Structure formats: structure tokens, C-alpha cells
Amino acid sequence: MKRPLTKGERIVAEMCGDLPIDGYPVLTEAHPFLRKVIAYMENRIDWLGTVTDLLAAVGDNYTPPNTAAKLLRKYDYNLLYKQHHIDVTFTRTNRKRLINLRKQ
């Protein structure tokens, strides 16, 4: 019987796209979080908030906030902008890091 992955091992495997356990998401453009963001922005023109606000808005309880931010940064141009015309802008205030999603 295989031992379960620790949280750190799971995060590294997720980032490398090598998850040996079925059911865990793989860090690709087919990630469930990105699909939810694309579907969420289809009926909206503009959205502004933090990563945790975005996770709550799209109804994602599984993806950690740091992974969601990494996915948005990694696929902001090739997937979100080129294919779906969603412009992603990151802004930092003295207390929060804000994400602005705008449909072009």
C-alpha cells in the first residue's frame, strides 16, 4: 500500500504536473479553477478583488489561494487573453493584492 503524499509533496507534484493519485488536479490549462474562472467571466465585463474573493465567487473550495494566483499568472496571456479575451491585472496595495479581470 502506498503512503499518502504530504502537503509539500502534493504541491510540488501539482506544480510539476506529476500527481500519482487519481482525482487530484494537475497544473495545466485544463485545471478546474481556470475553467471556472472562464465560465464566470463569460457573463461579466469586469471583476476586482483578492484571490480568496475570486475563489468564493467562482465557487471553488478545493484550490488553495497561492495555487490560484500561480495559475492566473502562468496562463494570463496564452490561455486567458489570447483564447478567451480576459485581461488579468495584478495590483498591490499596502494591505491587499488585488486582481482585476476585464473582458476585452
Side-chain angles (χ1 to χ4, degrees), residues 56-95:
V58 300
D60 191 342
N61 295 330
Y62 178 76
T63 307
N66 63 338
T67 303
K70 287 176 189 176
L71 286 167
L72 287 173
R73 286 190 188 279
K74 183 171 183 178
Y75 296 109
D76 67 342
Y77 183 72
N78 288 332
L79 175 70
L80 295 174
Y81 185 71
K82 276 187 167 179
Q83 295 179 14
H84 299 281
H85 306 291
I86 301 171
D87 185 28
V88 181
T89 308
F90 296 92
T91 308
R92 187 176 180 153
T93 65
N94 60 352
R95 291 184 178 225

Side-chain angles (χ1 to χ4, degrees), residues 22-61:
D22 292 337
Y24 285 106
V26 178
L27 189 62
T28 65
E29 61 187 47
H31 193 281
F33 169 70
L34 291 174
R35 289 192 310 254
K36 289 178 184 178
V37 168
I38 292 166
Y40 180 74
M41 286 303 293
E42 282 184 9
N43 300 328
R44 289 170 179 71
I45 296 173
D46 195 25
W47 184 88
L48 178 69
T50 62
V51 176
T52 53
D53 296 339
L54 182 60
L55 287 168
V58 300
D60 191 342
N61 295 330

Side-chain angles (χ1 to χ4, degrees), residues 12-27:
V12 169
E14 218 176 277
M15 289 179 7
C16 294
D18 301 327
L19 283 175
I21 299 172
D22 292 337
Y24 285 106
V26 178
L27 189 62

